[in-house]
Amino acid sequence: MPIIIIIVALSALRYFEIGPFADLSWWWIVGLFGVAFVWFEFVERAFGLDKRKAHEQLEKARQERVKKTFKK
């Protein structure tokens, strides 16, 4: 997610030509888009990070249901 924030910030700085980013090539930003694409499409899946996050959310919801059930 931080890479998406960096891409948006760099795009805005380049578009409005602020400071040293006025001379920054658009290819750097396009390159970061490519890196983000590769990360989210291949690296996360290869390491199982996408499934791990989903599993953690489901486990947290299950634990909350169990707490509510046995609290009464």
Side-chain angles (χ1 to χ4, degrees), residues 38-50:
V38 168
W39 176 262
F40 288 114
E41 287 297 318
F42 302 110
V43 176
E44 263 194 358
R45 289 183 187 171
F47 290 120
L49 298 176
D50 55 342

Side-chain angles (χ1 to χ4, degrees), residues 48-65:
L49 298 176
D50 55 342
K51 302 290 184 187
R52 187 177 307 150
K53 290 176 188 175
H55 180 70
E56 288 173 359
Q57 291 174 348
L58 289 173
E59 184 64 25
K60 184 178 177 183
R62 187 188 70 78
Q63 288 176 353
E64 289 177 11
R65 282 194 313 269

Side-chain angles (χ1 to χ4, degrees):
M1 189 62 161
I3 194 165
I4 302 298
I5 295 169
I6 291 170
I7 291 170
V8 170
L10 281 177
S11 297
L13 289 170
R14 173 63 179 103
Y15 180 76
F16 294 113
E17 297 181 351
I18 297 174
F21 300 102
D23 296 327
L24 182 69
S25 173
W26 282 106
W27 287 109
W28 285 101
I29 297 169
V30 171
L32 285 176
F33 273 112
V35 169
F37 175 78
V38 168
W39 176 262
F40 288 114
E41 287 297 318
F42 302 110
V43 176
E44 263 194 358
R45 289 183 187 171
F47 290 120
L49 298 176
D50 55 342
K51 302 290 184 187
R52 187 177 307 150
K53 290 176 188 175
H55 180 70
E56 288 173 359
Q57 291 174 348
L58 289 173
E59 184 64 25
K60 184 178 177 183
R62 187 188 70 78
Q63 288 176 353
E64 289 177 11
R65 282 194 313 269
V66 168
K67 282 182 184 178
K68 285 182 182 178
T69 301
F70 290 113
K71 209 175 203 184
K72 295 180 179 181

